[in-house]
C-alpha cells in the first residue's frame, strides 16, 4: 500500500472533527512507502469529501510503526497502532479489552516517590498560613527535587495494555497512558471505551470490538466538568452512533436520550447543509448534547428540585470547564476520526521511509491566537470588540470553545442568583 493521505472535515458547531483514513496515493515526494494496514480500506458513512478537503501534506509511513498521541498540560496519552510505543521504560502488557494494567514501580522509583511525598508535607507545613508575600519568599528557600525524584514522578502513572483484534482483518492496538498532575486534585482525565456494546451481556459475548473511543479531558477551574465528561461522554457517543445508524436506515430510537440526540442530529444536518459521514456526525452531536446537559440541563434540574443539597453535584460541573479531545479508532476500517473542542492536541506519529519520524497534527487549537477562531468570534459577536481581549475570551478564558464554563453561557439572571452561593462553596 502506498503512502497515506489525510482526509479531514471540520464541523460548523460543537468543536472540530477530523477524519484520517489510509488510502492509496503517492506522497508529495513521489516515494512509495509501506503503511501499517493490510490494504483493506473501508470508510464508514458516505465518505463524500470535496477535493478541497483532501490534504496529502504529511503522511509517509513505514512498516507497522505508527502512533496517535494526545498531549495536553498535565496529561500525555499515547495510542500505539499495531504495537508501537514511544515509551522506553518497560511496562506491563495486558491482552484484554476490559482492564488496563497497573504500573509496577521499581524499588528505587518507589523510594523516590516516598521522598517526594515527605518533602511535600514538610513544604506544606512551612508555607500554610503565611501571607502571600512571605509565602513566596519562603518558597524560594525550599530545596529542589533530585533528578531521581523528578524521574519517579514522570513515570509513576505509566500504564500499558493491548486490545485484541476483533477479526482477522482488524488491527490490534497497544495503548500507553501517563499522567502528571499539576493540581491537587488533578483536573485532567483520561477515558477509553469500546463502542457498539450496550450491556454486560453483549460485552461477555464480544470481548473484542472493532471500534474504540480514546479521550483526554483537560479541566480548568476545578475537576468536576472533566470528571463528568470522562464518565458520561462515552455512553452518549455510543448512543449517538446508534442513533445516526438508525436514521440512515430509517429506524426510530426508543430511548429518551436517543430521541434528544435525534433532534440534535437533524438540526446539525439542517443547519450545516453538508453531507455528513456517520462518525463525525455522531461525535459532533455528542459534544453539543453533552455540553447542553452539563450547563443547561443541570440548571433546569436544580431549579426544579430547589434543594441546596444538590447544588454541588448538579452545578459544580457547569461552573468548572474542560477542553476535550476524542478519537474514534476503527480497527477494521483502519480509520481514526478526531473530535476536538478547546486547545488539547492530537498528533499522528508517522515513520518515514528513511527511518525518521514526523509528527502530523490531527487537530486545530481553538484559541484566540487562531485567526479562524478569532474571526468566528468577532462574526458571532458583532458590536463586541472586546469579546477577545489579550488573546482570551473576555480577557479570561484561553480556549474559545469548551465544555462547561457556565459563566459564559448561563443567562445573566441565573448567574446573579447562583454564583454568590457557588463561590461561597468553593467553586471558582
Amino acid at each position: 500500500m502506498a503512502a497515506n493521505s489525510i482526509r479531514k472535515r471540520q464541523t460548523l458547531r460543537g468543536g472540530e472533527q477530523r477524519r484520517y483514513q489510509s488510502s492509496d496515493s503517492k506522497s508529495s515526494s513521489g516515494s512509495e512507502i509501506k503503511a501499517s494496514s493490510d490494504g483493506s480500506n473501508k470508510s464508514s458513512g458516505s465518505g463524500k469529501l470535496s477535493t478541497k478537503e483532501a490534504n496529502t501534506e504529511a503522511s509517509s509511513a513505514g512498516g507497522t510503526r505508527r502512533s496517535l498521541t494526545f498531549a495536553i498540560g498535565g496529561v500525555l496519552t499515547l495510542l500505539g497502532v499495531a504495537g508501537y510505543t514511544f515509551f522506553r521504560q518497560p511496562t506491563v502488557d495486558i491482552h484484554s479489552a476490559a482492564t488496563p494494567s497497573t504500573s509496577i514501580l521499581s524499588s528505587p522509583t518507589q523510594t523516590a516517590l516516598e521522598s517526594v511525598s515527605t518533602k511535600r508535607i514538610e513544604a506544606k507545613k512551612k508555607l500554610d498560613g503565611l501571607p502571600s508575600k512571605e509565602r513566596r519568599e519562603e518558597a524560594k528557600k525550599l530545596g529542589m527535587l533530585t533528578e531521581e525524584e523528578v524521574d519517579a514522578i514522570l513515570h509513576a502513572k505509566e500504564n500499558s495494555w493491548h486490545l485484541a483484534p476483533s477479526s482477522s482483518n482488524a488491527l490490534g492496538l497497544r495503548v500507553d497512558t501517563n499522567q502528571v498532575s499539576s493540581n491537587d486534585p488533578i483536573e485532567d482525565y483520561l477515558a477509553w471505551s469500546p463502542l457498539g456494546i450496550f450491556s454486560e451481556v453483549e460485552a461477555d459475548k464480544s470481548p473484542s470490538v472493532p471500534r474504540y473511543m480514546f479521550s483526554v479531558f483537560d479541566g480548568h477551574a476545578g475537576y468536576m466538568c472533566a470528571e463528568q465528561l470522562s464518565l458520561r461522554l462515552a455512553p452518549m457517543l455510543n448512543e449517538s452512533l446508534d442513533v445516526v445508524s438508525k436514521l440512515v436506515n430509517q429506524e426510530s430510537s426508543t430511548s429518551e436520550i436517543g430521541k434528544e440526540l435525534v433532534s440534535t442530529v437533524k438540526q446539525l444536518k439542517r443547519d450545516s447543509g453538508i453531507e455528513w459521514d456517520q462518525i463525525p456526525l455522531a461525535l459532533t452531536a455528542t459534544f453539543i448534547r453533552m455540553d447542553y446537559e452539563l450547563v443547561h440541563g443541570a440548571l433546569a434540574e436544580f431549579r426544579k428540585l430547589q434543594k441546596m443539597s444538590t447544588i454541588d453535584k448538579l452545578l459544580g460541573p457547569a461552573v468548572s470547564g474542560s477542553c476535550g479531545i476524542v478519537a474514534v479508532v476503527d480497527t477494521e476500517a483502519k480509520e481514526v476520526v478526531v473530535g476536538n473542542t478547546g486547545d488539547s492536541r492530537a498528533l499522528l506519529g508517522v515513520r518515514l521511509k528513511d527511518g525518521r519520524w514526523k509528527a502530523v497534527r490531527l487537530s486545530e487549537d481553538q484559541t484566540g491566537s487562531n485567526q479562524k477562531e478569532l474571526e468566528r468570534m468577532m462574526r458571532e459577536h458583532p458590536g463586541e470588540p472586546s469579546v477577545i481581549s489579550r488573546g482570551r475570551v473576555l480577557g479570561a478564558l484561553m480556549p474559545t470553545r469548551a465544555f462547561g464554563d457556565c459563566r459564559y453561557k448561563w443567562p445573566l439572571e441565573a448567574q446573579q442568583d447562583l454564583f454568590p452561593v457557588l463561590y461561597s462553596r468553593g467553586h471558582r
Side-chain angles (χ1 to χ4, degrees):
M1 198 176 100
N4 302 328
S5 69
I6 295 179
R7 293 186 171 191
K8 59 186 179 182
R9 168 163 301 182
Q10 189 164 347
T11 67
L12 303 181
R13 299 174 57 192
E16 172 205 22
Q17 309 289 345
R18 288 189 176 184
R19 148 172 294 176
Y20 301 86
Q21 176 189 10
S22 300
S23 62
D24 291 332
S25 64
K26 295 280 185 176
S27 67
S28 57
S29 65
S31 60
E32 187 169 275
I33 314 295
K34 294 294 183 181
S36 63
S37 68
D38 60 3
S40 174
N41 299 304
K42 302 175 183 179
S43 63
S44 62
S46 64
K48 296 179 181 178
L49 295 172
S50 68
T51 305
K52 291 181 180 179
E53 290 173 309
N55 181 344
T56 57
E57 65 178 334
S59 5
S60 302
T64 61
R65 302 207 169 189
R66 230 197 235 163
S67 68
L68 176 68
T69 306
F70 296 147
I72 64 173
V75 177
L76 176 65
T77 303
L78 299 179
L79 166 62
V81 179
Y84 182 78
T85 174
F86 286 129
F87 285 123
R88 296 178 183 176
Q89 178 171 321
T91 48
V92 180
D93 293 337
I94 299 243
H95 297 272
S96 168
T99 308
S101 71
T102 300
S103 297
I104 298 179
L105 302 178
S106 63
S107 296
T109 299
Q110 188 61 47
T111 301
L113 287 175
E114 291 171 358
S115 175
V116 170
S117 178
T118 300
K119 288 182 177 180
R120 282 176 172 165
I121 293 171
E122 292 174 352
K124 185 174 172 55
K125 289 179 180 178
K126 289 181 180 179
L127 300 178
D128 277 0
L130 293 178
S132 58
K133 185 176 180 179
E134 291 182 32
R135 184 185 178 92
R136 285 194 297 270
E137 292 302 317
E138 285 298 316
K140 294 176 183 178
K141 301 176 185 178
L142 296 175
M144 299 290 287
L145 296 178
T146 67
E147 188 173 328
E148 291 76 14
E149 289 168 339
V150 171
D151 196 55
I153 292 171
L154 294 177
H155 288 295
K157 294 186 179 180
E158 284 185 353
N159 288 294
S160 179
W161 69 97
H162 279 85
L163 300 172
S166 59
S167 68
S168 59
N169 187 46
L171 295 173
L173 302 180
R174 170 170 169 167
V175 185
D176 297 275
T177 67
N178 195 12
Q179 285 185 281
V180 179
S181 174
S182 59
N183 304 80
D184 186 16
I186 190 169
E187 294 181 341
D188 307 319
Y189 283 77
L190 310 173
W192 75 280
S193 175
L195 296 173
I197 294 178
F198 293 89
S199 68
E200 291 184 7
V201 173
E202 290 183 34
D204 291 338
K205 290 181 180 179
S206 305
S208 297
V209 296
R211 283 181 182 171
Y212 295 91
M213 182 208 83
F214 300 91
S215 56
V216 172
F217 301 109
D218 177 11
H220 49 260
Y223 70 92
M224 297 184 75
C225 184
E227 180 187 55
Q228 286 298 302
L229 289 168
S230 72
L231 296 171
R232 296 166 58 184
L233 192 134
M236 185 177 287
L237 176 58
N238 220 14
E239 190 84 36
S240 293
L241 288 165
D242 185 58
V243 163
V244 170
S245 177
K246 286 180 177 177
L247 283 175
V248 170
N249 297 317
Q250 297 183 332
E251 301 174 14
S252 60
S253 181
T254 56
S255 70
E256 195 60 37
I257 185 62
K259 293 175 183 177
E260 294 168 350
L261 284 165
V262 166
S263 176
T264 303
V265 167
K266 288 182 176 179
Q267 183 177 347
L268 266 173
K269 296 178 73 173
R270 183 175 62 251
D271 291 351
S272 66
I274 62 175
E275 185 70 27
W276 289 80
D277 294 331
Q278 290 189 32
I279 296 178
L281 181 57
L283 261 175
T284 307
T286 300
F287 275 39
I288 292 172
R289 191 69 211 174
M290 189 78 257
D291 187 60
Y292 180 87
E293 287 196 5
L294 288 171
V295 175
H296 302 292
L299 176 61
E301 182 69 12
F302 176 73
R303 284 177 160 170
K304 176 183 176 182
L305 295 174
Q306 289 295 315
K307 291 183 179 179
M308 191 56 64
S309 60
T310 65
I311 191 170
D312 297 316
K313 181 180 179 180
L314 286 174
L315 303 187
V319 178
S320 59
S322 180
C323 300
I325 193 157
V326 177
V328 175
V329 180
D330 192 320
T331 61
E332 291 185 352
K334 284 80 176 179
E335 178 181 77
V336 177
V337 182
V338 173
N340 179 46
T341 188
D343 57 4
S344 301
R345 188 176 294 181
L347 302 173
L348 180 68
V350 180
R351 192 179 188 186
L352 306 179
K353 189 176 183 179
D354 60 9
R356 293 179 300 115
W357 283 88
K358 184 169 185 175
V360 182
R361 287 177 59 170
L362 304 190
S363 60
E364 188 172 338
D365 295 355
Q366 297 165 348
T367 66
S369 59
N370 179 332
Q371 187 61 31
K372 289 192 294 185
E373 278 296 282
L374 179 60
E375 291 172 359
R376 179 186 68 83
M377 292 291 286
M378 300 304 291
R379 186 173 59 251
E380 294 181 0
H381 296 269
E384 300 179 52
S386 62
V387 65
I388 298 294
S389 175
R390 303 190 302 278
R392 296 170 176 261
V393 178
L394 299 180
L397 186 65
M398 177 64 77
T400 52
R401 311 190 198 202
F403 293 100
D405 291 316
C406 64
R407 59 179 53 80
Y408 302 96
K409 302 172 184 178
W410 276 355
L412 181 60
E413 172 268 326
Q415 295 186 48
Q416 293 173 335
D417 182 36
L418 293 171
F419 272 132
V421 179
L422 288 163
Y423 287 153
S424 72
R425 300 176 70 88
H427 298 281
R428 52 191 173 91

